[in-house]
Amino acid sequence: MYTLNKNGTVYIINENYFYKTEPYYTIVQNEFEGIRTVPSSSAVLDAYIVPICLEKARMAGIPVCEWVVSYAYITLPAIVYGLNYFSTPSEHFVVKDFTSAKKAIKHVTNYGKYPFCYQKISDEAEVAVYNSIFGRTVDCSEEVETLAEKIYAVFNIPLVSLVLVRDLGGYRLSSLAPVMYSQLSEKERELMKSILEKRVSS
């Protein structure tokens, strides 16, 4: 976990900010002590619950996938996410037939104990994951770069994966997910290093 203090604001940079993790408790402690912290505890809680994340993004004018919370019903093809306490947006399933859908739903619901979230997608849709570092991306299209900036403006999460769906209508946000440092490319690590050094020295 990296912690930066710049102009009275503490920036917490970590692989994930899940509830009950060290970064989350650090953020909560800072807020309790009146220290302005980025990201905020409410932002990270909202970001990792797919339906809440998408509604918050939609209200900010960001194009998002239409979503449904269900216990059994699903329309194909679709992207499936779990909604239980142990689920993570990093784990999503693109399902195009009922056999794979049934298997995915059984997995994310722990055999029907919890609801799940699914997003109906077109047959031509592609799912792509991009890493966002303080709202910036590496080797991405202008559309993805713009989306990353807008998403950072809403959630202020320094390091996060953008799970996007691309079809004839362009890109739409499917979810925000944690990103492991080991998953960052060399260029992404260089970008992060550059941003951190500027924030420390400027």
Side-chain angles (χ1 to χ4, degrees), residues 181-197:
Y181 294 131
S182 59
Q183 295 174 336
L184 296 177
S185 68
E186 184 176 346
K187 287 185 178 180
E188 289 170 334
R189 293 180 186 181
E190 290 175 355
L191 173 60
M192 175 176 283
K193 181 180 178 181
S194 173
I195 293 174
L196 294 180
E197 287 177 348

Side-chain angles (χ1 to χ4, degrees), residues 76-150:
L76 299 177
I79 306 174
V80 175
Y81 290 93
L83 293 178
N84 66 75
Y85 177 80
F86 302 102
S87 64
T88 168
S90 299
E91 188 177 55
H92 61 270
F93 300 87
V94 178
V95 294
K96 297 185 177 182
D97 58 75
F98 284 106
T99 299
S100 60
K102 185 177 180 180
K103 183 178 180 181
I105 292 169
K106 183 183 294 185
H107 176 73
V108 301
T109 63
N110 194 12
Y111 292 87
K113 292 181 181 178
Y114 304 98
F116 64 94
C117 174
Y118 76 87
Q119 300 163 4
K120 177 75 171 69
I121 58 175
S122 65
D123 291 324
E124 302 79 21
E126 297 178 351
V127 179
V129 180
Y130 302 95
N131 295 323
S132 171
I133 302 166
F134 285 92
R136 296 174 60 185
T137 55
V138 173
D139 296 334
C140 292
S141 67
E142 184 176 344
E143 186 177 358
V144 172
E145 290 176 354
T146 300
L147 270 178
E149 291 172 0
K150 290 182 178 179

Side-chain angles (χ1 to χ4, degrees), residues 14-15 17 47-48 130-135 151-152 157-162 175-179:
N14 199 70
E15 293 178 329
Y17 304 84
Y48 292 150
Y130 302 95
N131 295 323
S132 171
I133 302 166
F134 285 92
I151 291 168
Y152 181 71
I157 299 180
L159 180 62
V160 69
S161 281
L162 315 178
S175 69
L176 298 179
V179 54

Side-chain angles (χ1 to χ4, degrees), residues 50-52 67-73 83 114-119:
V50 176
I52 296 176
W67 56 271
V68 176
V69 174
S70 176
Y71 277 90
Y73 176 82
L83 293 178
Y114 304 98
F116 64 94
C117 174
Y118 76 87
Q119 300 163 4

